[in-house]
Amino acid sequence: MASSGSQTKKHDNHSDHLVQPTNPNVAAMQEDVLYHFSLSTSTHDFPAMFGDVKFVCVGGSPTRMEAFAKYMAKELGLDHPGAEYPNICRGTDRYAMFKVGPVLSVSHGIGIPSTSIMLHELIKLLYHAHCSDVTVIRIGTSGGIGLKPGSVVITRQAVDASFEPVFEQVVLGKRVVQRTHLDEELVQELMQCALDLLEFPTVIGNTMCTSDFYEGQGRLDGALCSYTEKDKQKYLQAAHSAGICNIEMESSVLAAICGACSIPVAVVCVTLLNRLEGDQVSSPHEVLVEYQQRPQRLVSHFIKKRLAAAQNPLNL
Ligand code: R2B
Ligand code: URA
């Protein structure tokens, strides 16, 4: 009896955190074609392919997400000579996806629309695979405000270009506003990982999510520019005063969609430049490559710590 009781308890805990889209139509579908992943529930065995996924790391570039998968394989001791990390979405060039043990590494392209589409299909994939207790983390790049280039920002709140913690979308012709809540406990856990490593400057701060890289981020170097250097500085200083440490293009939709489905989500971005000092991303290629590895190193440490804690929950 005791053992069946503990099994029931285990099952209850398990089912508490199953990934679940909020759309009831999904459960009623005979077949679900995840068109932009080139995967379908009728031709792929989702539970067998993805059932053990616990961490989904997302980032803009397919090459960076492939490099992250290879790096995680080494870090988790799953790498071996001749090992290959095939792109699971090889039937399409929209997104790339790699799996290493419990870690799924997925590219999302640039900006909110591309990321939104990827997230709809990702959450349905995790649901069809019966995944539970999944954490989603964006490992990305950004422009810093008042930070030394190469600093890493762990996002406390994702805000829009008016510094509001909201994500706005037009649905059936009407403006719908969603909150962009991020999990403070996860933020602190990630910060502790940065403190464990002490390899690069890391801060917790707000992240501004924009729909454009140029005028949308107050740059003076785009093909269009409808304001002055003084206007730009005033805007970035106001952002800085509102607690904004960096600017990128995906955090708000990530927070809104994962938040709506109760999936813990975090955003960890390196800053490629200090926007108070310029607009062009002009550091040498090797410097930018090393900067982009910083969120990966932090998140790899987080994943290893989480896995070790799961194996030894009482820390004995
Ligand atoms: C950071 O870098 C990209 C633009 O260069 C964009 O995806 C982002 O958020
Ligand atoms: N990504 C952005 O969105 N902005 C920057 O300034 C750098 C990277």
Side-chain angles (χ1 to χ4, degrees):
M1 284 303 276
S3 94
S4 89
S6 74
Q7 268 169 17
T8 309
K9 188 158 183 291
K10 195 169 175 209
H11 178 74
D12 284 350
N13 284 341
H14 203 66
S15 57
D16 276 346
H17 305 286
L18 275 171
V19 175
Q20 184 80 46
T22 63
N23 174 13
N25 299 326
V26 176
M29 290 168 72
Q30 280 290 318
E31 179 190 10
D32 194 356
V33 177
L34 306 184
Y35 166 60
H36 302 88
F37 285 161
S38 193
L39 296 172
S40 158
T41 52
S42 65
T43 48
H44 297 89
D45 183 346
F46 282 33
M49 289 172 76
F50 303 109
D52 61 343
V53 168
K54 297 292 175 200
F55 306 95
V56 182
C57 297
V58 301
S61 132
T63 320
R64 180 152 37 89
M65 297 323 289
E66 183 176 13
F68 177 69
K70 288 181 182 162
Y71 173 63
M72 278 314 307
K74 285 197 188 80
E75 291 291 295
L76 296 178
L78 298 173
D79 195 32
H80 55 83
E84 288 188 12
Y85 305 93
N87 177 6
I88 297 167
C89 298
R90 54 192 164 276
T92 175
D93 59 5
R94 294 293 186 189
Y95 302 106
M97 181 185 290
F98 308 89
K99 185 175 178 299
V100 174
V103 181
L104 200 61
S105 179
V106 191
S107 69
H108 55 54
I110 292 185
I112 290 171
S114 179
T115 304
S116 171
I117 294 162
M118 190 283 286
L119 286 173
H120 277 276
E121 296 188 10
L122 172 70
I123 291 170
K124 294 197 299 167
L125 177 156
L126 297 171
Y127 163 72
H128 292 308
H130 312 303
C131 291
S132 63
D133 300 318
V134 174
T135 300
V136 174
I137 306 181
R138 164 163 148 75
I139 43 176
T141 60
S142 63
I145 304 185
L147 295 174
K148 188 169 176 265
S151 302
V152 169
V153 179
I154 301 169
T155 304
R156 169 165 281 138
Q157 248 188 347
V159 301
D160 67 9
S162 309
F163 314 158
E164 298 294 334
V166 292
F167 169 65
E168 206 176 285
Q169 199 186 10
V170 177
V171 178
L172 301 184
K174 296 200 175 67
R175 288 187 185 288
V176 176
V177 177
Q178 280 171 272
R179 288 186 53 76
T180 51
H181 178 73
L182 290 164
D183 186 325
E184 180 64 23
E185 265 182 49
L186 188 50
V187 167
Q188 295 301 336
E189 202 176 332
L190 286 160
M191 188 63 198
Q192 186 52 56
C193 291
L195 294 172
D196 294 345
L197 295 177
L198 281 182
E199 289 179 7
F200 36 78
T202 305
V203 298
I204 295 172
N206 294 345
T207 295
M208 177 156 72
C209 181
T210 68
S211 302
D212 173 47
F213 183 81
Y214 288 99
E215 281 197 294
Q217 298 188 4
R219 279 186 155 80
L220 300 165
D221 63 342
L224 311 180
C225 186
S226 52
Y227 43 80
T228 64
E229 157 90 47
K230 205 169 147 208
D231 297 333
K232 166 199 158 175
Q233 285 297 341
K234 196 170 158 205
Y235 179 63
L236 293 184
Q237 287 296 348
H240 192 238
S241 303
I244 295 170
C245 288
N246 63 339
I247 313 175
E248 47 78 272
M249 301 179 63
E250 294 85 15
S251 56
S252 67
V253 71
L254 207 78
I257 294 185
C258 292
C261 296
S262 303
I263 300 171
V265 58
V267 178
V268 180
C269 289
V270 71
T271 60
L272 302 182
L273 74 168
N274 178 2
R275 288 298 317 290
L276 299 180
E277 289 174 359
D279 295 333
Q280 296 251 298
V281 181
S282 51
S283 295
H285 177 72
E286 321 76 70
V287 172
L288 294 175
V289 168
E290 194 280 321
Y291 284 172
Q292 289 175 45
Q293 287 165 354
R294 294 179 178 191
Q296 302 185 21
R297 300 214 293 273
L298 197 161
V299 169
S300 155
H301 183 68
F302 165 84
I303 290 172
K304 286 189 293 180
K305 243 176 127 171
R306 276 272 183 106
L307 291 174
Q311 274 177 358
N312 184 7
L314 300 176
N315 203 11
L316 297 174

